[in-house]
Amino acid sequence: VQLVESGGGLVQTGGFLRLSCAPSGRTSSSYVMGWFRQAPGKEREFVAAIGWGGLRTSYADSIEGRFTISRDNTKNSVYLQMNNLKPEDTAIYYCAADITIARVTARPSLWGQGTLVTVSS
């Protein structure tokens, strides 16, 4: 199973982006999905996670309500809507997957290659 991210890019402060992730080779509904990010010179950190049915979600405190994770199992995709972006949100964003939210938020077993988000000041 490969996780394929898309939607990264360059945006100004206060702007928005929507990241997408789709697992190839298997349906996304088989997994709990999540997003991590790694800023330059920093460790990778958890951003958000969403359960199979999309009802249960978990977010990092640092997101401050600006990001929303969602999924559409009919399209085999998971999304991260990022609003009011700040320069400190600049990072490579990684899609991740595992079988429970606890695993996804801690040490997921599946990772995508990452998509770069750059927020200019």
Side-chain angles (χ1 to χ4, degrees), residues 31-114:
Y31 298 100
V32 174
M33 305 294 294
W35 291 93
F36 283 68
R37 67 184 181 184
Q38 186 167 17
K42 295 187 177 181
E43 293 187 353
R44 193 175 298 186
E45 64 173 354
F46 167 74
V47 174
I50 187 165
W52 291 299
L55 298 180
R56 183 180 176 187
T57 58
S58 178
Y59 292 95
D61 292 339
S62 59
I63 301 309
E64 303 171 325
R66 298 180 293 119
F67 295 1
T68 302
I69 189 170
S70 62
R71 68 192 300 163
D72 186 341
N73 290 336
T74 66
K75 297 183 179 180
N76 202 36
S77 294
V78 175
Y79 308 99
L80 185 68
Q81 178 69 42
M82 305 184 295
N83 298 326
N84 190 22
L85 284 162
K86 305 175 181 180
E88 51 264 43
D89 294 317
T90 294
I92 299 174
Y93 283 72
Y94 296 91
C95 181
D98 213 306
I99 60 173
T100 68
I101 279 194
R103 290 189 180 187
V104 166
T105 57
R107 298 186 66 178
S109 57
L110 297 174
W111 292 94
Q113 293 297 309

Side-chain angles (χ1 to χ4, degrees), residues 4-20:
V4 181
E5 303 101 332
S6 62
L10 174 64
V11 64
Q12 292 184 333
T13 297
F16 63 90
L17 283 174
R18 189 175 83 154
L19 306 182
S20 299

